Amino acid sequence: MMSVDRTAFKTGALVRQACRSGEFTGQTSGLAPGFAQANLVILPQAEARQFQEFCEKNPKPCPLLEVTAPGDPCPHRLAEAADLRTDLPRYRVWRRGELVDEPTEITSLWQDDMVAFLIGCSFTFEAALIAAGLSVRHIDQGVNVPMYRTTIPCESAGMFSGPLVVSMRPFKPADAIQAVQITGRFPAVHGAPVHLGFPEQLGITDLSSPDYGDAVTVGRDELPVFWACGVTPQAVLMQAKPEFAITHSPGCMFVSDLKDSDLAAD
């Protein structure tokens, strides 16, 4: 990827334009502050109904922001001029539960029966954390957020079942309380944390070895704080093994035209 000025991406449209042209293929945390970001899952229509039921049964990791009509690559609610085939930095292609490719566009893979699911992303509430004066560690360190598979099962729906995936941000205890209060205002993008401290209670044995994303520094006086994560469907796809699916690459989100404030509960 060529070097780009991340501070230049002031809007979702600018991020999407850079993705479409191939100028930007990196992770999107901290880009276009104030604009909501979303996870992506694309499935053939035959499996889409069961997956939508899975999301509805598991709203914490899979809060649905939009479901497109079959064959339509445009998320009309989130960004009327967007094209989900080109406007994310990087995708993942899955065949029978195996990751087979990570392309930067999926135009040649798109089919007339494809249904796209846009799922709320915790990157959306990070602007609110920063505005409150809280330090978001992975942004400060210029890396992707660390994400971990847990031993907590999601509620199954048809062929779809699997473990909850969580993202982690460390905070001192007083800041962690504030982070709970702030993110609780954003139920459409995972809301309040699902767990504070004691990663072993989630089946996480080593914070320095995330399953997705990058490790970050956790101070001795800090608590690891865990939020339900929209990468959960990727763990579910590995277990369900549908014939074909496409997702975003972890951390490489769809940046919408919707404002963070539009998703705040108050």
Side-chain angles (χ1 to χ4, degrees):
M1 183 185 70
M2 67 183 70
S3 177
V4 296
D5 178 9
R6 293 176 64 89
T7 64
F9 297 123
K10 303 295 187 184
T11 67
L14 288 173
V15 176
R16 297 194 305 272
Q17 180 181 340
C19 294
R20 190 178 298 190
S21 68
E23 176 189 1
F24 184 75
T25 59
Q27 59 94 7
T28 58
S29 177
L31 298 188
F35 288 87
Q37 301 197 26
N39 303 272
L40 176 67
V41 176
I42 300 172
L43 285 162
Q45 188 175 8
E47 287 88 25
R49 184 180 297 274
Q50 287 184 19
F51 183 74
Q52 183 164 348
E53 182 184 356
F54 175 84
C55 293
E56 291 168 351
K57 286 185 173 183
N58 297 278
K60 197 73 171 173
C62 301
L64 285 174
L65 299 180
E66 183 167 356
V67 181
T68 66
D72 187 353
C74 176
H76 295 277
R77 176 181 180 238
L78 295 187
E80 183 63 46
D83 188 331
L84 293 173
R85 299 170 297 185
T86 58
D87 292 1
L88 281 74
R90 190 170 295 276
Y91 302 80
R92 282 187 160 185
V93 180
W94 304 84
R95 294 191 184 276
R96 295 174 292 281
E98 297 290 332
L99 175 62
V100 297
D101 196 10
E102 289 196 79
T104 56
E105 59 90 19
I106 55 168
T107 305
S108 64
L109 298 173
W110 188 262
Q111 301 171 10
D112 290 341
D113 66 340
M114 290 294 199
V115 177
F117 296 83
L118 282 303
I119 295 169
C121 171
S122 59
F123 287 176
T124 298
F125 60 56
E126 290 177 345
L129 295 174
I130 293 169
L134 300 183
S135 172
V136 179
R137 187 63 43 78
H138 63 274
I139 292 179
D140 293 344
Q141 295 185 346
V143 298
N144 199 355
V145 66
M147 295 161 272
Y148 306 85
R149 290 167 61 102
T150 74
T151 53
I152 309 300
C154 293
E155 187 172 350
S156 62
M159 68 185 294
F160 295 104
S161 63
L164 172 69
V165 175
V166 293
S167 61
M168 188 279 291
R169 298 159 184 81
F171 293 102
K172 293 182 179 180
D175 290 343
I177 293 171
Q178 190 176 2
V180 171
Q181 295 169 337
I182 291 170
T183 59
R185 294 173 42 229
F186 294 89
V189 288
H190 306 305
V194 295
H195 193 77
L196 284 78
F198 307 105
E200 63 276 5
Q201 293 183 3
L202 298 175
I204 300 169
T205 58
D206 185 1
L207 288 177
S208 67
S209 298
D211 296 291
Y212 314 91
D214 303 305
V216 298
T217 303
V218 181
R220 291 191 176 187
D221 60 344
E222 293 179 322
L223 295 172
V225 184
F226 300 93
W227 280 265
C229 179
V231 172
T232 296
Q234 300 194 25
V236 169
L237 291 173
M238 291 174 67
Q239 185 162 310
K241 296 179 171 57
E243 190 68 24
F244 180 64
I246 299 171
T247 67
H248 68 291
S249 184
C252 298
M253 304 298 174
F254 176 77
V255 186
S256 76
D257 291 338
L258 201 65
K259 302 303 288 289
D260 296 347
S261 56
D262 295 331
L263 297 176
D266 55 355

